[in-house]
Amino acid sequence: EPVLDRWSPKVRAFNTMAGKDPTEVRRRCTSMLGGTLAIGSGPMPFYAGEHLLNEGYCCSFRVVGVDSERHPGAGAFALGVSRVPPTDSRLQGPRCPINAYEVPDVVMVGYGAKYIEERKWHSVPWDSSALKMHDRMAMLVTPAGDLVIFVNDKQVVRIATGLGASSKEEQQKFYPIIDLGGHVDSLLLCPPREPPHVQLRSRNRVQRIL
């Protein structure tokens, strides 16, 4: 299976469209929130080596469109991963979920300051409404299963999840998923890049809210 290099043309919600560049995805109707799910075309690359501070599955994004006037303070943007590939029948046609958190086997961070896994909602200290134009995000899944989000090479959240491999030798496939809501209305998938070279801080505590 080809590694991640663009957004999948097979899975897009009704309010999501690709730009001229297949690595860009944007909200079709900027005044409408919802229906803005997009998924990567392939699995995230795995990075390992003695030169790295952080090993794991990683991909990066850059904010290339915001609409702070129409949606001031709206924090509906979210990003995450799923083990379900874009070719899965559950993501095709009318069966495709409207919201990213409805995708099977997904872990999401965003929607303001939330973390969602197995349809359970928790609060986290990072709020996606703080994102600005040209911000660069990196998303890392560590071998232990932690989901780590960086903004401009600064760690903003680290969560222990159920994404860990069953053995150290087993590599998994994780597909990046975004929900292009709130004030962020266009996102670019960046070329492959090693995880940020910064020491990871401790895991954040999360609190169940739903």
Side-chain angles (χ1 to χ4, degrees), residues 50-105:
E50 294 182 355
H51 66 292
L52 296 175
L53 274 179
N54 305 307
E55 295 186 347
Y57 307 85
C58 188
C59 63
S60 302
F61 316 94
R62 184 159 54 89
V63 177
V64 292
V66 296
D67 190 353
S68 298
E69 293 185 2
R70 195 188 302 266
H71 303 293
F77 173 81
L79 71 165
V81 298
S82 175
R83 294 188 180 93
V84 177
T87 54
D88 191 285
S89 62
R90 292 170 293 179
L91 302 181
Q92 305 302 311
R95 299 186 66 184
C96 181
I98 293 178
N99 303 296
Y101 62 79
E102 298 172 318
V103 171
D105 203 16

Side-chain angles (χ1 to χ4, degrees), residues 22-160:
T23 63
E24 182 183 354
V25 67
R26 63 183 64 172
R27 192 160 64 231
R28 185 183 301 273
C29 178
T30 57
S31 63
M32 180 189 301
L33 300 179
T36 50
L37 177 155
I39 184 171
S41 63
M44 296 162 58
F46 182 81
Y47 295 92
E50 294 182 355
H51 66 292
L52 296 175
L53 274 179
N54 305 307
E55 295 186 347
Y57 307 85
C58 188
C59 63
S60 302
F61 316 94
R62 184 159 54 89
V63 177
V64 292
V66 296
D67 190 353
S68 298
E69 293 185 2
R70 195 188 302 266
H71 303 293
F77 173 81
L79 71 165
V81 298
S82 175
R83 294 188 180 93
V84 177
T87 54
D88 191 285
S89 62
R90 292 170 293 179
L91 302 181
Q92 305 302 311
R95 299 186 66 184
C96 181
I98 293 178
N99 303 296
Y101 62 79
E102 298 172 318
V103 171
D105 203 16
V106 74
V107 177
M108 299 294 297
V109 175
Y111 301 112
K114 310 294 192 302
Y115 145 62
I116 304 99
E117 184 173 8
E118 297 180 348
R119 301 291 183 95
K120 299 174 183 177
W121 291 64
H122 310 74
S123 62
V124 293
W126 177 64
D127 192 330
S128 61
S129 65
L131 289 168
K132 303 182 298 294
M133 186 71 170
H134 304 307
D135 275 350
R136 187 178 68 249
M137 293 173 283
M139 181 169 61
L140 171 70
V141 180
T142 71
D146 289 0
L147 180 63
V148 190
I149 307 297
F150 304 85
V151 176
N152 300 323
D153 291 333
K154 179 181 179 181
Q155 179 184 321
V156 294
V157 67
R158 178 185 178 186
I159 303 166

